[in-house]
Amino acid sequence: MNETEQAKKVRRLTAIIYILLMLFLVIGTLYSEQRKEQAREAQKLAEQGIIGQPIKGE
């Protein structure tokens, strides 16, 4: 394998690693935003008294 072919493989591998890293970061960010939104919704419901109230009949 000559130097040019090896350089192409290294660049290709680097590109794949970069894409995987970006996907990991994007998915992590989306997951974090989803969790924050769920926490805001839970907080709103708690403030309205919907969450945390005992179920009637217990």
Side-chain angles (χ1 to χ4, degrees), residues 27-41:
I27 290 170
T29 301
L30 292 174
Y31 179 73
S32 175
E33 288 300 316
Q34 181 183 22
R35 297 280 302 197
K36 286 178 188 175
E37 184 60 32
Q38 288 173 347
R40 282 191 287 268
E41 288 295 319

